[in-house]
Amino acid sequence: MTTSTALADHPTDDVLPDLDAAREHVAARALRPATTGPIGLELEAHLVDLASPGTRVPWHRVTAAVATLPPLDGGSRVTLEPGGQVELSGPPAADVTAAVTALRADLAAVRSRLGAGGLGLAPIGTDPCRPAHRVNPGPRYVAMEEHFRAAGHRAAGVAMMTCTAALQVNLEAGAPADWAARVRLATALGPVLVAVSACSPLLAGAETGWRSGRQRIWAQLDPGRCGPLPGGADPADEWAAFAMAAPVMLVRGPAGDAVPVRGRTSFDEWVRGAGPTDRRPTVADLDYHLTTLFPPVRLRGYLELRYLDAAPEPWWPALAAVAGTLLDDPVAADTAAAAVEPVADRWEPAARAGLADRELHTAAVTCLEVAADRAPAGLRAQVEALVELVGRRASPGDALLHTARTDGPAAALLAAAHDTEEGT
C-alpha cells in the first residue's frame, strides 16, 4: 500500500479534493504499527430499575444516577447508549489480566453507586423483556433512528440501538507484515466467538429462537455498513474501499448537529458530487462517516472486535481472555487460524444455532482448549470454566433462558442485574 500524506496535516474543514485523497486518508489511519499485548475493553450493560425491571428507566433518572458517579479507579469512562444502556470503556492496559482487573473494579464501583439508587446493570446481549425504545435524546441518536426508518431498517435499527449490549475487545494492530493475517484471523474467529459468547436468546419478552439475537439484529441492518471486511492482502485498503462504498448515514448541519440522510448515497458518490447535500465533503465529514460504520472488526489504528455478546461473570472476563489469547499468542493464533478456516463464513448458523452447529462446536472446542492452555494464569480459571461450558454445547445465555422460562423475562433481566463476581 502506498500511503499519501496529502491530507495528513490538513484542517478537518478542508474539502476532499478527490476520491483517491479520501481513500488514502482512511487507509493511512486504518492500522498503526504497535507491539501486540496491550488491550482495551468496553462493556455495555442494560440499566434496570430493580423495583420494576419490566419498565425502561426514564432518561432524567438515567442521567441523574450517572451524574453521581465519581472518577473510577480503573480509569473507565462511562457513557450512555440510546436505550439507556451504560457503557464502561477502560483505557488500554498492558495485558488482558490488567484490563479485566481494572474494568471489573470499575464495574463493581458503578454497580454499588447505582444500586444505592435502586438501579442495576445487566451485562447481557439483548434486553429480554422491555420493548425497543430510545430514551437518549441526543441529536446523533435521533438522526440515526430517522435514517434507519427511511432506509427501511427502523425496527432492527432501534433494536440495535436500544436493546443490545456488547463486550468489545480492542487489540493492537501488530507489525505491518502481520496485518493481513491478523485482521483475517480476527474476522474469521467471529462466527466461533459469536456462538461461544451467545447471551441473547430473548427480546421484548419473547424467545427469538436464536442463541445470539444480538448478532441477528446486526445482520438485519445494511451489510454495506455492518458486514465483514473481505480478509484480503491489504486490510487498510479494504477498509478504505468499504468506507467509500458505505452509505452515508448522517451529515453535520450548519450548527454542527447531526442531520439524517434519508436516501442511499455512498461516500464516494458524495466525493464525486452526487452527495446528500449541495456542499462538497470535508475531512471532518469523512471522519464522522467512519464513526457510523460497524463491521464485526473495525479498524481504528487498532483492531476493534465488535461481535461478542455482553455476558455476566465469569463469562465476560473469560471471553476477553480468549479473544486476546487467540490473537496475541502466536501458538494459539496458529491453532485458531486452522480451526476456524472451515467455519469463517458461518455467521448466521452461529447466531441461530450457536454451538449446536457441529462444525462450529468442533472449531470452538479446539480454540477454547488452546486458549485455556495459553491464557494468563490470572484468568485461567475463568477460561477453563468456559471450556467446560463449551464442551457441553452450552453458552452464557442458557441460564438466562432457563430463568425466563421458569419465572419470566423480567425475572431473567433482574437476575442478570443482580449478578456479581462473588455471586456467580
Side-chain angles (χ1 to χ4, degrees):
M1 181 185 71
T2 301
T3 300
S4 169
T5 58
L7 295 173
D9 300 317
H10 281 217
T12 58
D13 60 353
D14 273 10
V15 171
L16 292 162
D18 53 38
L19 190 56
D20 285 343
R23 286 177 172 165
E24 290 172 0
H25 177 78
V26 177
R29 290 155 179 77
L31 297 167
R32 59 172 179 261
T35 302
T36 60
I39 187 169
L41 299 176
E42 301 177 30
L43 182 64
E44 296 171 334
H46 305 281
L47 189 63
V48 182
D49 184 337
L50 299 176
S52 182
T55 303
R56 196 171 290 275
V57 182
W59 184 243
H60 68 86
R61 189 176 174 196
V62 173
T63 54
V66 171
T68 68
L69 295 174
L72 299 172
D73 291 343
S76 295
R77 182 169 58 95
V78 177
T79 55
L80 297 171
E81 297 298 311
Q85 307 99 309
V86 175
E87 179 177 27
L88 275 72
S89 302
D95 53 45
V96 69
T97 304
V100 166
T101 299
L103 185 58
R104 181 182 270 153
D106 287 349
L107 179 60
V110 172
R111 271 185 155 150
S112 176
R113 181 61 66 95
L114 295 180
L119 299 174
L121 293 178
I124 50 179
T126 53
D127 189 320
C129 67
R130 298 176 297 188
H133 177 67
R134 179 179 52 80
V135 298
N136 187 330
R140 175 182 170 94
Y141 299 134
V142 174
M144 285 180 68
E145 184 174 347
E146 175 57 23
H147 169 83
F148 285 128
R149 184 201 64 76
H153 303 302
R154 184 184 181 279
V158 177
M160 177 275 288
M161 291 195 296
T162 68
C163 293
T164 66
L167 168 67
Q168 187 170 295
V169 180
N170 302 319
L171 301 163
E172 296 288 9
D178 300 330
W179 284 352
R182 190 160 168 78
V183 174
R184 189 179 306 118
L185 175 57
T187 303
L189 277 167
V192 165
L193 293 185
V194 164
V196 169
S197 70
C199 193
S200 48
L202 301 116
L203 183 68
E207 296 183 28
T208 63
W210 293 66
R211 303 304 294 269
S212 178
R214 174 183 171 274
Q215 182 61 34
R216 180 198 184 193
I217 290 167
W218 279 105
Q220 292 172 327
L221 298 172
D222 192 331
R225 185 181 312 284
C226 303
L229 300 182
D234 193 332
D237 276 356
E238 288 177 354
W239 172 233
F242 181 92
M244 293 302 102
V248 180
M249 174 187 281
L250 311 172
V251 297
R252 299 282 193 180
D257 52 334
V259 178
V261 175
R262 294 177 173 84
R264 185 178 176 86
T265 303
S266 65
F267 199 90
D268 59 5
E269 289 173 327
W270 192 6
V271 174
R272 291 197 298 263
T277 71
D278 293 336
R279 63 177 178 80
R280 297 289 301 280
T282 65
V283 174
D285 289 320
L286 178 52
D287 289 340
Y288 192 49
H289 173 63
L290 296 179
T291 71
T292 70
L293 307 182
F294 311 111
V297 179
R298 186 161 65 176
L299 307 187
R300 300 185 61 190
Y302 52 89
L303 308 185
E304 184 182 84
L305 277 58
R306 303 179 53 85
Y307 46 65
L308 295 163
D309 276 5
E313 289 274 357
W315 310 124
W316 73 261
L319 291 165
V322 166
T325 300
L326 293 179
L327 280 158
D328 284 353
D329 180 275
V331 172
D334 287 346
T335 301
V340 301
E341 183 178 2
V343 296
D345 61 350
R346 295 181 69 81
W347 291 95
E348 182 176 338
R352 184 190 295 273
L355 297 174
D357 182 281
R358 181 178 58 81
E359 292 179 272
L360 283 165
H361 182 252
T362 298
V365 168
T366 300
C367 289
L368 268 291
E369 286 179 347
V370 72
D373 184 57
R374 308 290 295 187
L379 291 169
R380 194 161 295 151
Q382 288 91 338
V383 175
E384 288 174 348
L386 189 58
V387 170
E388 192 276 333
L389 191 73
V390 167
R392 295 190 280 110
R393 299 183 189 274
S395 63
D398 290 357
L400 188 76
L401 191 57
H402 174 75
T403 301
R405 287 173 173 173
T406 303
D407 301 312
L413 180 62
L414 188 62
H418 280 301
D419 178 78
T420 64
E421 180 188 359
E422 294 77 11
T424 299

